[in-house]
Amino acid sequence: MNNSPIKEGGRLSGGQMSDLTPLLLEWYAEHRRVFPWREEATPYRIWVSEIMLQQTRIEAALPYFERFIAALPTVKALAEADEGRLLKLWEGLGYYSRVRNLQKAAKIIMSDHGGELPASYEGLLALPGIGEYTAGAIASTAFGIPVPAVDGNVLRVMARLLGDRGDVMSPPVRRYLREEVCAMLPDDAPGEFNQAIMELGETVCLPNAVPLCSQCPLSGGCTGFAKGHPEELPVRAAKKARRVENRTVLVVIADKRVLLHRRAPHGLLAGMWELPNTEGWLTPAEAADYIKPWDGQLRDIAAEPLGGGKHLFSHVEWRMQGVKFQTAAFEPPEDYIWADAAQLLNDYALPSAFRPYAKHLMEWLDAGERNR
Ligand code: SF4
């Protein structure tokens, strides 16, 4: 039954959608890509991969996944891992709340579920960091439970298949597309189906490009393809622009160590170690005045401009200017520490926002060593 208020005369609806399911599964059996979490598909590995892939491309996540699983091969190891080690394993992936929630959930699994991931959609959904999509992906793939796993790829494929021109960000349209996925979902292979439709979205029904309809097993039943210009789907209402923040990043080096600051336990990059930074673009002289109170002896500090960098968070864009200081060591203020090169490598995960400056840090710290 077609219950979408906005669908434009599509060719398929309701039960007919399920006619496409065998075609999709056949295509997947032949074209599925090999990934470590598919080849050894334990609930723990599937869970870690799903969390890692939430904001990260598959190619980028692969080496992280291997390293993470080698270091923390079980739920127990994850629950007991030291926070610094955990963040270090995640360094470069960004969105650190993902790994923090992963550990919170692991602790709950140890205390409430005997160390095994709960084998139900509701049980998974109740864990920190697991939303509808992830619960559906784990429940169907790891436990064969017939629930959908609807992410952006699946919404795109469904909007095109159905020729649906509703705003894909609106809850009624998402609900409708999810119901249509349910109509296609086979009881005997829900995990294969969920992976197949995602795979189709990632490799054939591509975003931001002309979809490869000539290679698509579903083209014979696709309304978007039949009507032309499927690449115009899905429709998205214009996004709110990100807020732009100008910031000055302070790279303070003394005695082969760099000054790090721990962020507040809530909000953006909560609790992360970072290079000290402040709002607005300060000149080197203003930046020197800014840090002088940290050094009780108010020494003259040599400042050097480092140039700009940019980082996009989901709602904020940082436009950064860096200033580097070479100074004598001083007692760091509260929430600040000095870190040497080994600690930076092993203990303190700097958020990727600081990559424009962090990539030179080792060089600067080594240079400090040579100059001594
Ligand atoms: Fe996507 Fe084209 Fe396949 Fe339709 S036919 S699902 S638009 S790739």
Side-chain angles (χ1 to χ4, degrees):
M1 185 182 77
N2 172 20
N3 54 1
S4 168
I6 21 87
K7 188 180 168 195
E8 261 191 6
R11 295 192 308 157
L12 283 170
S13 65
Q16 288 171 284
M17 291 297 286
S18 61
D19 294 347
L20 300 179
T21 301
L23 300 174
L24 181 62
L25 290 177
E26 243 171 69
W27 171 85
Y28 181 63
E30 201 179 325
H31 293 88
R32 72 194 281 278
R33 290 171 294 174
V34 173
F35 296 127
W37 50 86
R38 282 185 179 162
E39 298 316 295
E40 195 186 331
T42 65
Y44 176 62
R45 290 166 67 92
I46 291 169
W47 173 39
V48 171
S49 73
E50 286 297 342
I51 300 298
M52 219 170 243
L53 292 171
Q54 276 174 6
Q55 315 277 351
T56 308
R57 286 179 306 106
I58 290 177
E59 298 71 29
L62 275 170
Y64 283 93
F65 178 81
E66 302 282 16
R67 204 158 53 106
F68 194 94
I69 291 291
L72 307 173
T74 59
V75 177
K76 184 170 185 288
L78 170 58
E80 292 172 356
D82 166 75
E83 194 199 18
R85 182 164 181 237
L86 197 62
L87 296 178
K88 200 69 200 167
L89 286 166
W90 209 262
E91 186 178 2
L93 284 172
Y95 299 95
Y96 286 85
S97 59
R98 289 182 294 170
V99 71
R100 287 211 170 95
N101 281 330
L102 205 55
Q103 188 175 49
K104 272 189 212 159
K107 288 178 179 170
I108 294 170
I109 293 168
M110 291 308 296
S111 61
D112 298 1
H113 300 283
E116 304 286 342
L117 267 83
S120 75
Y121 176 78
E122 293 74 19
L124 291 162
L125 197 57
L127 293 171
I130 296 191
E132 283 186 1
Y133 160 75
T134 309
I138 301 171
S140 61
T141 314
F143 301 114
I145 299 169
V147 284
V150 181
D151 70 350
N153 283 307
V154 177
L155 289 172
R156 177 174 64 257
V157 173
M158 293 305 293
R160 288 173 177 174
L161 275 177
L162 291 156
D164 196 307
R165 301 199 69 84
D167 172 11
V168 78
M169 300 311 288
S170 82
V173 172
R174 293 168 90 96
R175 251 195 321 274
Y176 161 63
L177 295 175
R178 191 174 194 276
E179 280 167 17
E180 293 293 333
V181 176
C182 289
M184 296 175 74
L185 193 72
D187 280 348
D188 56 351
E192 291 295 282
F193 173 84
N194 284 333
Q195 291 182 82
I197 194 163
M198 265 181 265
E199 190 93 338
L200 191 77
E202 283 162 5
T203 62
V204 177
C205 196
L206 298 171
N208 309 320
V210 178
L212 309 174
C213 300
S214 62
Q215 298 172 28
C216 179
L218 310 184
S219 58
C222 177
T223 301
F225 175 61
K227 293 174 97 174
H229 298 293
E231 75 281 1
E232 291 173 1
L233 299 173
V235 172
R236 277 191 184 80
K239 267 193 185 170
K240 254 174 78 181
R242 284 191 181 89
R243 179 165 51 83
V244 173
E245 266 185 29
N246 294 337
R247 301 197 76 81
T248 303
V249 176
L250 306 157
V251 183
V252 185
I253 294 176
D255 198 18
K256 295 190 299 175
R257 296 178 301 169
V258 64
L259 193 65
L260 300 182
H261 169 245
R262 186 161 202 165
R263 291 182 67 89
H266 44 77
L268 189 70
L269 302 176
M272 299 291 301
W273 289 100
E274 64 176 359
L275 292 171
N277 60 89
T278 184
E279 261 191 88
W281 285 340
L282 306 184
T283 63
E286 287 167 340
D289 284 343
Y290 181 84
I291 72 162
K292 266 184 188 169
W294 299 349
D295 174 0
Q297 299 173 53
L298 295 177
R299 295 181 182 88
D300 280 337
I301 303 169
E304 178 191 330
L306 288 177
K310 189 163 99 167
H311 188 78
L312 303 179
F313 297 97
S314 48
H315 303 299
V316 188
E317 174 181 337
W318 277 7
R319 293 187 186 162
M320 298 171 283
Q321 290 293 331
V323 183
K324 181 179 149 199
F325 300 95
Q326 194 84 41
T327 179
F330 52 84
E331 187 62 33
E334 201 184 332
D335 291 330
Y336 289 75
I337 53 150
W338 292 108
D340 63 22
Q343 288 170 316
L344 263 184
L345 270 179
N346 302 318
D347 303 330
Y348 299 106
L350 285 184
S352 49
F354 297 98
R355 201 169 280 154
Y357 307 105
K359 67 184 179 189
H360 298 298
L361 262 178
M362 290 300 157
E363 197 185 306
W364 293 333
L365 296 178
D366 283 343
E369 182 156 29
R370 279 197 297 274
N371 292 340
R372 272 166 67 86

